[in-house]
Amino acid sequence: MTQQGAVLQGYNNELVKCIEDLCMQKEELNKQIQQAEEEKNKLQHEIQVLSEQLECVCENLAQKVASRNELDKILAETEAAYMKILDSSRTLLNVLKKEVGSLKHMPELKTH
């Protein structure tokens, strides 16, 4: 009977050791889970911060693009008006040259 008790004690010791090993594995896994949850929370926070920054950059970009488009429109209108001024100046100059030319043919302006 003592031999059976010793065998039973051996089984019991092995069983206790297996249970202790499983408990250690569980503790290690719990630590890994906790680290992973902390990393997940950190990344989610970073994503939120980056999303807010991206939203600000997008709004700023949209405002700048709208300003540029407005400047393009103003420049186009200004250039068109300037071209009209140049055309009018050229026309005025041509008319003035014709008038001066026709004045030279008048008898009073001819020098003797």
Side-chain angles (χ1 to χ4, degrees), residues 53-110:
Q53 289 176 350
L54 178 62
E55 185 177 336
C56 288
V57 168
C58 287
E59 288 174 7
N60 190 325
L61 178 62
Q63 290 172 351
K64 288 181 181 189
V65 167
S67 294
R68 184 192 60 197
N69 291 343
E70 185 64 25
L71 285 174
D72 284 344
K73 179 183 171 190
I74 291 169
L75 279 170
E77 291 171 356
T78 302
E79 287 174 355
Y82 184 68
M83 292 305 290
K84 286 181 183 179
I85 290 170
L86 286 179
D87 191 44
S88 295
S89 294
R90 182 175 45 249
T91 301
L92 178 61
L93 181 61
N94 289 337
V95 167
L96 185 60
K97 284 181 180 180
K98 284 181 187 177
E99 291 294 323
V100 168
S102 65
L103 285 177
K104 288 183 182 179
H105 295 305
M106 294 181 83
E108 307 87 47
L109 296 178
K110 289 185 180 179

Side-chain angles (χ1 to χ4, degrees), residues 1 6 27 58:
M1 185 86 141
E27 285 178 32
C58 287

Side-chain angles (χ1 to χ4, degrees), residues 19-31:
I19 291 172
E20 287 175 353
D21 287 345
L22 288 174
C23 287
M24 288 175 56
Q25 287 177 5
K26 179 183 171 187
E27 285 178 32
E28 180 60 31
L29 195 55
N30 280 337
K31 287 179 187 177

Side-chain angles (χ1 to χ4, degrees), residues 32-48:
Q32 292 174 3
I33 288 170
Q34 184 178 358
Q35 288 173 347
E37 286 176 346
E38 289 172 3
E39 181 69 14
K40 178 186 130 190
N41 291 337
K42 178 185 166 193
L43 291 172
Q44 284 178 329
H45 176 71
E46 289 176 8
I47 288 170
Q48 181 181 355

Side-chain angles (χ1 to χ4, degrees), residues 1-14:
M1 185 86 141
T2 42
Q3 189 176 5
Q4 291 173 339
V7 170
L8 184 59
Q9 185 64 37
Y11 291 157
N12 187 46
N13 289 342
E14 262 189 76

